Every structure is written in structure tokens, then in C-alpha cells.
Amino acid sequence: AQSVTQLDSQVPVFEEAPVELRCNYSSSVSVYLFWYVQYPNQGLQLLLKYLSGSTLVKGINGFEAEFNKSQTSFHLRKPSVHISDTAEYFCAVSFSGGYQKVTFGIGTKLQVIP
Amino acid sequence: GAVVSQHPSRVICKSGTSVKIECRSLDFQATTMFWYRQFPKKSLMLMATSNEGSKATYEQGVEKDKFLINHASLTLSTLTVTSAHPEDSSFYICSAASGSGNSEAFFGQGTRLTVV
């Protein structure tokens, strides 16, 4: 079965500390991978995406993610977080080969502590 | 990126009434639009996919007669929640894409529906 798992529902981290948000997926086909951010009472904003090529993907706001095919993971990282990074982060996977119809993980709330 | 606008951003309606949510692509032609629902403390669940000029394709478990989707033009799709009940209260969000499955989908800002 195809699925997306975000292992942590909440991640508290102190300001200027590094953070990693974990995402694993299950699929027997090639996938496209995405990370979205949702600020309170707002829609989704694309942080970064992996379609093909280099497994290390850099996105907006200093975030990056690494695609690990053998471990079927796509963890999101940032070396130094800011208060403004407090938001909910969704990992999403397209199993259909395109990147329109995606399956979302349950989301991880990142809380940056001053 | 392209801009997708949802209206209204928040709506409160009485139980038993219907409410319409609009999703517009402002600077591109959206041949395909997707409607998602976000339950509290849960992820976004795809409700349906609509292609311009055709009937929407609903995901399993989504009531077609309750959630009416119309995609009458290349820039507008609407979701109408008919005979709304408190359990329909949720965050509804759309995304829109042009062209084939390899073109990126852009998300609207979402609509918070509260049924009282």
C-alpha cells in the first residue's frame, strides 16, 4: 500500500538550533516528493520538491531535504531556525508520476522557542 | 509561482443551509483543480478532482450529492456544501494546475467553514 508517514506530530526546538522533520513513504513505484508549510490560518506554501536528479534539494527559507531511496525517506532540515519558522509542515508524495494528485502526511508542528 | 485565490477565507453558516466556496486561478488556466479537506489535527484529505468541462471524480467515501463541485471555466471551480451540518465544519483548500500531470499544482489559501 502507498502511504506517507510523518513520525513526529510536534517538534519543539530552541531558536537558532538545527531541526530535522522526518518523513517516510511506502511505494513500489517512482515518486515525486514535496514539503509544504502552513502558517496559522493560511493555505499551503511549497517549500521544496524532489522530482529527479540530485538527492539533496534546497528550498525556500533556508530549508533543505534529502531523498534517500533505500530508506524511502525525505527528511526536512534547517541548520538554524527562527521564530518565524513556527508553523505546520506537511510532507507530500505523488505516487502517480505527476505532481498534481498528492498524498499528504499528517503534518508536524514545529514550535520554535525563543 | 502562480496565484490561486479562494473565497471566502472564512464563512459561518446555519445548519441546513448551503454554502459555496470559490477557487480561482488568477494568472493561468487551470485545466485541473483539486479539493481537499483538513480535519482538526489531521492531514489534508483529497475529496475530488475536477477537470474543466467534465464531471468531478470523487474519492471513496466522499458524498457527491453533499459536496457539489463545478468546474465550468478554466479559471474557476466551486465547491458547494449542501445542507450543511456541524460535522461539515472544516478547513477546505483547493489546488489548481494547468496542462498534464507533470505541471505543478498551486494551492489556494483555504476556507474555514463553521456550521452552527
Side-chain angles (χ1 to χ4, degrees):
Chain A
Q2 297 169 332
S3 64
V4 182
T5 303
Q6 288 183 250
L7 298 166
D8 306 299
S9 58
Q10 291 192 56
V11 173
V13 63
F14 285 105
E15 194 173 14
E16 297 184 8
V19 69
E20 179 179 83
L21 306 182
R22 296 180 291 171
C23 174
N24 287 85
Y25 67 92
S26 172
S27 176
S28 58
V29 300
S30 296
V31 297
Y32 288 2
L33 299 155
F34 309 84
W35 275 98
Y36 286 90
V37 59
Q38 185 181 32
Y39 297 102
N41 298 314
Q42 293 187 29
L44 299 179
Q45 182 180 5
L46 181 66
L47 271 180
L48 48 77
K49 59 181 181 277
Y50 171 80
L51 307 181
S52 64
S54 172
T55 57
L56 183 62
V57 180
K58 292 192 184 297
I60 62 171
N61 301 341
F63 284 93
E64 63 179 32
E66 186 155 20
F67 170 51
N68 187 318
K69 190 175 181 180
S70 62
Q71 296 188 4
T72 59
S73 68
F74 190 54
H75 300 335
L76 181 71
R77 296 191 291 256
K78 186 169 182 178
S80 175
V81 295
H82 299 129
I83 292 289
S84 59
D85 293 323
T86 295
E88 187 138 24
Y89 293 79
F90 291 95
C91 178
V93 181
S94 170
F95 299 105
S96 59
Y99 58 121
Q100 297 179 2
K101 185 175 177 179
V102 296
T103 299
F104 286 86
I106 200 166
T108 298
K109 277 192 178 173
L110 174 63
Q111 185 171 6
V112 180
I113 304 163
Chain B
V3 179
V4 175
S5 176
Q6 255 181 270
H7 178 80
S9 57
R10 291 177 177 272
V11 59
I12 301 173
C13 71
K14 289 186 177 180
S15 188
T17 63
S18 296
V19 61
K20 182 185 284 187
I21 302 169
E22 292 186 347
C23 179
R24 291 183 185 272
S25 57
L26 298 186
D27 50 4
F28 68 102
Q29 293 186 326
T31 51
T32 308
M33 287 189 173
F34 304 86
W35 286 95
Y36 294 84
R37 179 176 178 177
Q38 187 175 30
F39 292 93
K41 299 186 180 181
K42 292 202 171 184
S43 187
L44 293 106
M45 305 299 294
L46 180 65
M47 298 174 67
T49 303
S50 73
N51 292 297
E52 185 265 337
S54 332
K55 287 186 177 179
T57 302
Y58 289 80
E59 296 299 303
Q60 194 171 10
V62 177
E63 297 177 62
K64 300 179 185 181
D65 295 332
K66 181 160 192 64
F67 299 100
L68 300 178
I69 291 171
N70 184 284
H71 191 169
S73 78
L74 285 170
T75 59
L76 174 65
S77 175
T78 59
L79 167 67
T80 302
V81 183
T82 62
S83 187
H85 288 104
E87 57 265 30
D88 298 326
S89 298
S90 196
F91 189 72
Y92 294 87
I93 195 166
C94 70
S95 69
S98 62
S100 69
N102 285 330
S103 54
E104 184 171 347
F106 298 92
F107 283 81
Q109 66 270 47
T111 297
R112 172 74 59 191
L113 170 63
T114 303
V115 185
V116 298

